[in-house]
């Protein structure tokens, strides 16, 4: 399932598309409704958010293809990993996009764009819904182990 990896793909695509247009630093912290009050070097911020998004997306892809994981555990893992991947990518996309638009990290205003980052938590629902459904505790015939029939014991033996 590549749904958990999609956010990191989008972040990487933006890095390539924006190329050298993003200033040396991007706004990464806002204390009020005004402009950013802290900035981080662009390469470092991209590397950190891309690494988190890619690692969580990669683990999510592995979890999705392992057949022995219980469906409920798999779905919960995909929910969490998809959310982490999306939040990390959204942090990059919003910070870099606002800084690119403003031209300077200390003139970038977050405003309502914080809702994009907060809303990206909900992205984890997509891989969860794409995962195979849980089976309500019933095991499929190929994984069910039936007990051996008991043999009557003879008293004389």
């Amino acid at each position: 399932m590549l749904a958990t990896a999609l956010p990191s793909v989008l972040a990487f695509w933006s890095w390539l598309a924006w190329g050298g247009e993003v200033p040396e630093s991007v706004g990464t912290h806002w204390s009020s409704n005004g402009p950013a009050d802290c900035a981080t070097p662009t390469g470092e911020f991209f590397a950190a958010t891309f690494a988190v998004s890619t690692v969580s997306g990669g683990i999510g892809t592995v979890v999705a293809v392992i057949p022995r994981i219980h469906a409920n555990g798999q779905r919960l893992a995909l929910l969490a990993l998809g959310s982490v991947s999306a939040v990390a990518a959204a942090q990059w996309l919003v910070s870099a996009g606002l800084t690119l638009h403003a031209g300077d990290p200390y003139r970038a205003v977050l405003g309502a764009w914080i809702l994009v980052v907060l809303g990206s938590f909900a992205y984890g629902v997509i891989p969860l819904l794409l995962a195979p459904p849980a089976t309500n505790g019933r095991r499929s015939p190929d994984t069910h182990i039936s007990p051996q029939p008991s043999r009557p014991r003879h008293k004389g033996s």
Side-chain angles (χ1 to χ4, degrees), residues 23-36:
E24 288 183 23
S25 294
V26 294
T28 53
H29 186 269
W30 289 264
S31 293
S32 66
N33 293 334

Side-chain angles (χ1 to χ4, degrees), residues 9-78:
V9 170
L10 293 175
F12 186 70
W13 176 82
S14 73
W15 175 261
L16 293 176
W18 290 335
E21 295 178 37
V22 181
E24 288 183 23
S25 294
V26 294
T28 53
H29 186 269
W30 289 264
S31 293
S32 66
N33 293 334
D37 56 13
C38 186
T40 303
T42 300
E44 291 176 21
F45 189 64
F46 175 76
T49 56
F50 183 69
V52 170
S53 184
T54 301
V55 168
S56 59
I59 293 170
T61 301
V62 170
V63 165
V65 299
I66 296 176
R68 293 281 187 193
I69 296 177
H70 189 276
N72 287 335
Q74 182 184 50
R75 292 165 60 88
L76 182 61
L78 291 173

